[in-house]
Amino acid sequence: MRIEDYFLQIQKVIESCFVTQLSNVTYDKRGTHEGFIRGKLQFVDSSTLHWREFVDVEITVEPLMYVYQYMDSSGRIVFRYDNTGHHKNLNLSTYPHHKHEGCNNNVVPSVTKDLADVLKEIELLVKY
């Protein structure tokens, strides 16, 4: 797959999310198969998702780096998924993939996430 094809997939995922109100996404091609995406989505209840992905799509979609941070309309963190290796001391079974839950920053194991997964979770939380 070419990175441009993946960029189109991301745009379709955003367009299919029925609670998205506004989107601001930048796509940065880093090679034939690698790219960086940065985005902010605002939902109908004024909650927001800020995210970044650095992916390699040569064979399969491989997230080299990702962060998906969802915040309520007051700017409080509801959850954040990422694969940053900063919680090695917690011995998470899915390290480095993990989820931060709520403002108390409770860190729990998590499988690798992508934008489609995160938007499905948000659709269940958004009040419209």
Side-chain angles (χ1 to χ4, degrees):
M1 171 188 303
R2 297 174 317 122
I3 193 64
E4 294 91 349
D5 299 326
Y6 182 71
F7 291 165
L8 287 172
Q9 283 182 4
I10 291 295
Q11 191 58 43
K12 288 178 183 177
V13 166
I14 293 168
E15 290 169 0
S16 71
C17 180
F18 67 92
V19 295
T20 301
Q21 187 172 42
L22 298 169
S23 67
N24 182 4
V25 183
T26 58
Y27 301 95
D28 183 7
K29 181 179 173 180
R30 301 280 176 96
T32 305
H33 306 289
E34 291 183 340
F36 184 76
I37 305 169
R38 179 183 305 264
K40 177 183 178 183
L41 302 179
Q42 183 174 333
F43 303 100
V44 295
D45 65 351
S46 296
S47 61
T48 56
L49 174 69
H50 296 264
W51 96 93
R52 297 183 308 274
E53 292 182 4
F54 183 59
V55 296
D56 182 324
V57 297
E58 185 170 9
I59 298 169
T60 62
V61 175
E62 182 180 347
L64 304 174
M65 182 281 300
Y66 65 87
V67 177
Y68 304 98
Q69 181 166 290
Y70 178 58
M71 296 181 293
D72 67 18
S73 61
S74 299
R76 291 181 301 245
I77 294 174
V78 177
F79 65 75
R80 180 175 74 240
Y81 290 99
D82 68 77
N83 66 342
T84 306
H86 54 233
H87 292 295
K88 197 170 191 171
N89 62 320
L90 297 178
N91 295 319
L92 298 171
S93 60
T94 58
Y95 179 85
H97 309 279
H98 60 279
K99 180 181 184 182
H100 299 257
E101 297 178 322
C103 293
N104 63 359
N105 202 29
N106 186 34
V107 178
V108 297
S110 172
V111 296
T112 305
K113 293 292 182 176
D114 64 19
L115 183 61
D117 295 329
V118 173
L119 290 179
K120 286 176 190 170
E121 185 172 346
I122 290 170
E123 286 175 345
L124 297 173
L125 298 173
V126 168
K127 307 289 189 246
Y128 57 97

